[in-house]
Amino acid sequence: MLKTEQMVLNMGPQHPSTHGVLRLELELEGEIIVNVKPHLGYLHRCFEKHCEAMTYPQIIPYVDRLDYLASMNNEMGYAIAVERLLDIKVPERVEYIRVIMAELQRIASHMVAVGTYGIDIGAFTPFLYLFRDRERILTLFEKTCGARLLYNYIWVGGLSHDLPINFVNETRDFLNDFKKTVIEVNNLLSYNKIFIERTANVGVLNVESAINYGITGPNLRASGLKWDIRRNDPYSIYDRFDFEIPVGEGLHGQVGDCWDRYYLRVQEMIQSIRIVEQALDQLPEGEITSALPKRIKPVEGQLYSRVENPKGELGYFIVSKGQLQPFRVKVRPPSFINLSVLGELCKGHLIADVIAILGSIDIVLGEVDR
Amino acid sequence: MGLLDKEFSDDNIVISKVDDLLNWARLSSLWQMSFGLACCAIEMMATSASHYDFDRFGVIPRPSPRQADIIIISGTVTLKMATRIKRLYEQMADPKYIISMGSCSNCGGPYWEHGYHVLKGVDRVIPVDVYVPGCPPRPEALLEGLLTLQEKIRNESLVKKSV
Amino acid sequence: MKSTEEIFALLKEKFGDAVLELNTKLPKEAVIEVTPLKVTDICWFLRDNEELQFDNLILLTGLDDDNGEIVKLEDGTTETKGGTLSVVYHLESMKLGHKIVLRTTTGRENPEVETVSKVWACADWHEREAYDMFGIIFLNHPDLRRILMPYDWEAGYPLRKDYKNPEFYHGMKVPY
């Protein structure tokens, strides 16, 4: 009699394809996944404890370090949350610059997602092409505020600096060049036969379980639901721009598979280009700070405010007791919630598909563990 | 070419010290363990990608600690991770070098005061050769750190120094 | 689309005393207070009722209300005795477009709340996090372990206001 038993395999915390320090405990039946148990917390940096000890403006540098690929979006979400708590409006120019920065950052974040996903599957070249172009976005940011990755740029009630000279033209140049890169990446990776074979029909997520798991952002839209906070619960000035919300169509397999999730990010980059172009056209002159009290001290109350991050719905739940420091800040981290569906998606797939599925969810461990 | 400049004669003889030869071999192909922790890992990736190109200094990422010469601690080391880092360090073959990249792994960085789960400096668990400051350091800073490490290796010797 | 007042009336009619009050005193967000040991039933109702359809749990937050009595210990530090911990649920209906905030409060000494992880799958990890950070015990949770802190962390629950960090963990010095 041949006896078989399940094997437990550890993946991570040091593993080239876990996108950071995630540990997965895989229970295997031969090469088939029976169960996946993620173990988190290897990057738990006590964000919420820091918030209770810092004043409202001091929290912004820590907010940067949540999802470090999308710092601008994090800052924008936090600034909007505090502004709603304080009931203040920011000048027009600030709103436009914020949108430009947020959308450029969305492009940069998706570049990393798409590039590293290529590496995970085995294609190295798109990574180099995308990082080459990402450097140009970072250079634009650096000219604006002096930092490449973690900016501390969007402040409560305004911005730290105005745009530098010639920013508009340089951004336009970049966008025009980047349109060609998207076509190149599509030819190299998206429509590549090997890539499609590895990702189509793998890790299919249907809409019902996506909603039940609280999945948001590109992952939810790839499952076929048109849900984008920029449209469904508009914030800032997103209602002024004309852009589409791409949804997964299942071009090479079922709706909501890894290829759909990947391709949705490519399409979102194109939409972000459109938004930035419109914002650059309409960019008004004006102040970059609004009149703020010297000590930011919201009245007692609580508020949940959310924005659309590259990874999904980023929300801040702030409880104020009328002090200089918030009583409690809780983040709704999109990556953390998106990751919880991993076990469900991996069941019944081969061990090599775990990499493909994990990469397609696009997590950032800084946000998963906070 | 540094050490090899104008050293060849017609007879194809190179004269050098064993020390120099060993050091030259070591410092010119520092294989790096591809191991990202936090924000700095993104800058580390940017350093090895197209624009800054780590490869030209002989730094090639290796996924296994057994094949690596150098580990770049790129990001916040938490208490949960610290024991794993120590284990990874112990798995590396000698000679092995460590670059501590960024404020977090130098001293705890912005998390030094209230970070109940952050190790305040990776040097509390493993010995560090080069500290690169910054939050996060620019790729140029990391390259400078690597060159400093190469300089350090160049001055190593097999001879035990008498006191 | 229903307002919080209408939803509160519906809940009050269905569950009676288990739904305590509608708190609109605080600015920005109205909160429906419920008892901790009826949360599961209320949430099933909220999700499955045709008029409500709260299919999305946006966020589940643990809170230390910091309203206990502060006691001075012999070594000069302080500790909180008594008081309450809370759990806040932000719910949303993606189909109908309305949102509500539920809040349940439990004692600090023996904090027990019913789990909603069967109702919304994402609550599983949220509840583990609330347990990890505040020590709130979610009854009937399938796998209530620490999630972010190490499994062998013995120094208590870090986000409680009276938390004291240990000097050493596995031989590593923790304070700066």
Side-chain angles (χ1 to χ4, degrees), chain A residues 40 42 45 62 128 142 148, chain B residues 43 50 76 78 80 110 138:
Chain A
L40 320 172
Y42 292 97
R45 301 195 276 196
Y62 290 91
L128 293 176
E142 197 183 347
R148 276 170 52 88
Chain B
E43 286 297 70
S50 12
T76 316
T78 61
K80 205 172 177 179
R138 300 176 51 87

Side-chain angles (χ1 to χ4, degrees), chain B:
Chain B
M1 282 280 117
L3 220 72
L4 296 186
D5 262 357
K6 295 174 194 148
E7 291 287 329
F8 289 97
S9 64
D10 296 342
D11 310 309
N12 271 351
I13 293 174
V14 182
I15 298 168
S16 172
K17 287 190 285 182
V18 179
D19 263 359
D20 287 347
L21 185 66
L22 270 180
N23 292 342
W24 168 74
R26 276 177 189 169
L27 69 86
S28 314
S29 73
L30 286 169
W31 284 7
Q32 166 219 357
M33 190 162 93
S34 68
F35 175 51
L37 275 169
C39 335
C40 293
I42 305 299
E43 286 297 70
M44 193 177 78
M45 268 162 69
T47 317
S48 40
S50 12
H51 199 86
Y52 293 95
D53 194 11
F54 232 176
D55 276 14
R56 62 200 160 125
F57 298 101
V59 180
I60 300 170
R62 302 300 297 179
S64 165
R66 311 274 182 202
Q67 301 168 341
D69 306 300
I70 168 176
I71 175 170
I72 299 177
I73 308 290
S74 54
T76 316
V77 183
T78 61
L79 295 175
K80 205 172 177 179
M81 197 63 208
T83 46
R84 274 79 174 176
I85 286 184
K86 188 150 183 266
R87 178 116 173 234
L88 284 170
Y89 174 72
E90 283 160 358
Q91 284 175 349
M92 285 165 66
D94 271 326
K96 50 193 170 188
Y97 303 97
I98 295 178
I99 293 180
S100 160
M101 181 184 181
S103 305
C104 288
S105 69
N106 290 348
C107 64
Y111 304 97
W112 70 275
E113 194 178 2
H114 305 286
Y116 51 84
H117 188 234
V118 175
L119 187 74
K120 279 72 174 187
V122 74
D123 48 7
R124 290 187 182 183
V125 286
I126 49 174
V128 176
D129 290 290
V130 176
Y131 296 89
V132 181
C135 188
R138 300 176 51 87
E140 288 93 333
L142 182 60
L143 292 176
E144 171 70 22
L146 184 87
L147 294 179
T148 314
L149 180 67
Q150 290 189 335
E151 203 53 45
K152 183 177 174 175
I153 297 171
R154 192 170 281 133
N155 293 325
E156 279 180 349
S157 171
L158 297 173
V159 184
K160 197 172 165 187
K161 284 214 177 78
S162 56
V163 185

Side-chain angles (χ1 to χ4, degrees), chain A residues 39 49 84 304 306 328 332, chain C residues 28-29 62 92 151 158:
Chain A
H39 294 265
K49 192 83 176 174
R84 282 183 184 163
Y304 177 79
R306 56 185 182 173
R328 172 107 168 88
R332 181 200 192 276
Chain C
K28 309 293 177 197
E29 266 184 1
E92 180 190 31
Y151 296 122

Side-chain angles (χ1 to χ4, degrees), chain A residues 331-352:
Chain A
V331 195
R332 181 200 192 276
S335 300
F336 176 77
I337 295 160
N338 291 353
L339 182 63
S340 65
V341 81
L342 181 71
E344 196 64 33
L345 288 184
C346 287
K347 265 176 204 159
H349 282 296
L350 295 175
I351 191 165

